[in-house]
Amino acid sequence: MKALQFEQTGKLEEVLQLTETAMPAISSTQVLVQVKARPVNPADQLFVKGVYRKKPVLPQTAGLEGSGTIVECGSAVSGFAPGDHVAFRAAGTWADYCAVEQEALIPIHRNIHFTTSCQVPLNPITAIALLQEARLKAGDWLLLNAASSSLAGIIIQMAVHKGIQVVGLLHHAQHIPALQALGAQALLQDDAALAEQLQTITGGKGFNAFLDAVGGPVLTTVIPLMAPYGYISVYGNLSNNAPAAFTNSAIIYKNLALQGFGIDHWLSGQTREQVQQAYRTIVDSLYDGTLSFRQTVTVPLEKFITDYPGLLHNAKPIIV
């Protein structure tokens, strides 16, 4: 089978190789999936660099998420059969076939396209978790950065549906109409008047929650603008560990909560039924149109290495 593999860690566009490799053998608790689509996420780039929480075992097939069709089931697998459409998180999805544990499988409606279903396992459940931890109610103010990302788009849709008022921070003005179409207000993060604009938007009430995927100076700016008992979730590091400056009194006097967030740790605290129900809700929302994902651009597996540098930056790459 064809696979995109790397023998050393580094930048995705520098170390990936298109190879011919043996199809994976499955255990009794696994299924063999013919992978039809795989999203390209920031986590995939970190995985190839060797700096993600999950470490590669070299030589490693790239990819951490995908969807496809089951072609074979292990002897202990129940509830699934060859021909079923599934999505999943597993290392090695950037290949024609992938061995996946039954517990990682998410059933998918057959009329949901693979380019959509491959995005189900990670971002939507992360959005649900982040909003659940924030404990917001209708009328509350939510601020988030990296607002043009696929994950942010999902968070905005879910929050607006609950009556939460959302403000997204962007680096480029071209993304403002897309955020407004989802029901959020949008501001440019690098605007010199950002703090004043944020204070004006809430009428001085402050933000009840801030979902921070960046860190650094923006966190410094936002902390004084939080409402009493506000919640700050640090779930990304797009600033590459740029420092944020704040005083203990800024946290103490407003009883703010500052918390790190990782989806795998959050999932480990949920029951299997809770996770399955969350995924059923996600899939049903995609099926009935109440949830949608951002625009995608597709690239064939065998052309990914050459085409990746030129892929559109305002669309999510999907390997097919």
Side-chain angles (χ1 to χ4, degrees), residues 36-287:
K36 299 291 189 179
R38 318 121 179 110
V40 181
N41 293 315
D44 295 303
Q45 301 178 45
L46 297 176
F47 181 56
V48 174
K49 288 181 179 179
V51 296
Y52 192 57
R53 63 175 66 93
K54 184 177 184 63
K55 303 302 180 184
V57 179
L58 303 174
Q60 174 71 58
T61 299
L64 298 170
E65 186 180 19
S67 65
T69 305
I70 295 176
V71 295
E72 182 184 353
C73 294
S75 59
V77 171
S78 61
F80 293 93
D84 286 351
H85 289 200
V86 291
F88 53 91
R89 290 176 69 200
T93 61
W94 293 8
D96 289 332
Y97 295 87
C98 186
V100 185
E101 290 290 338
Q102 175 178 343
E103 64 182 17
L105 297 173
I106 304 164
I108 299 293
H109 291 295
R110 284 184 170 271
N111 60 344
I112 296 178
H113 198 277
F114 289 117
T115 56
T116 296
S117 64
C118 72
Q119 302 177 66
V120 165
L122 181 58
N123 281 339
I125 196 76
T126 302
I128 287 174
L130 286 167
L131 288 172
Q132 181 174 310
E133 292 297 302
R135 297 178 176 86
L136 297 173
K137 61 183 183 299
D140 283 349
W141 285 95
L142 169 64
L143 178 67
L144 72 166
N145 52 20
S148 63
S149 70
S150 299
L151 173 55
I154 298 168
I155 293 171
I156 291 169
Q157 291 177 73
M158 292 180 176
V160 169
H161 183 71
K162 295 175 181 290
I164 298 164
Q165 302 179 88
V166 184
V167 178
L169 300 182
L170 298 163
H171 283 295
H172 304 290
Q174 70 192 61
H175 298 300
I176 290 177
L179 255 67
Q180 292 173 334
L182 294 176
Q185 299 185 60
L187 294 174
L188 294 179
Q189 182 170 305
D190 300 324
D191 194 309
L194 177 63
E196 181 181 349
Q197 293 169 347
L198 290 173
Q199 190 170 30
T200 299
I201 281 180
T202 67
K205 295 179 180 178
F207 290 93
N208 304 98
F210 174 40
L211 305 182
D212 182 18
V214 180
V218 69
L219 183 56
T220 302
T221 299
V222 170
I223 283 178
L225 303 173
M226 296 297 295
Y229 301 97
Y231 169 81
I232 301 171
S233 178
V234 178
Y235 74 96
N237 185 29
L238 294 178
S239 67
N240 195 25
N241 288 323
F246 56 89
T247 63
N248 281 14
S249 60
I251 304 295
I252 295 168
Y253 295 159
K254 288 187 178 180
N255 286 77
L256 302 182
L258 177 61
Q259 177 178 311
F261 175 88
I263 186 59
D264 289 317
H265 183 71
W266 184 86
L267 286 169
S268 70
Q270 310 299 305
T271 67
R272 181 169 175 77
E273 176 53 35
Q274 286 173 323
V275 174
Q276 289 177 334
Q277 180 56 51
Y279 277 125
R280 283 194 291 269
T281 300
I282 292 164
V283 173
D284 288 345
S285 296
L286 289 169
Y287 180 73

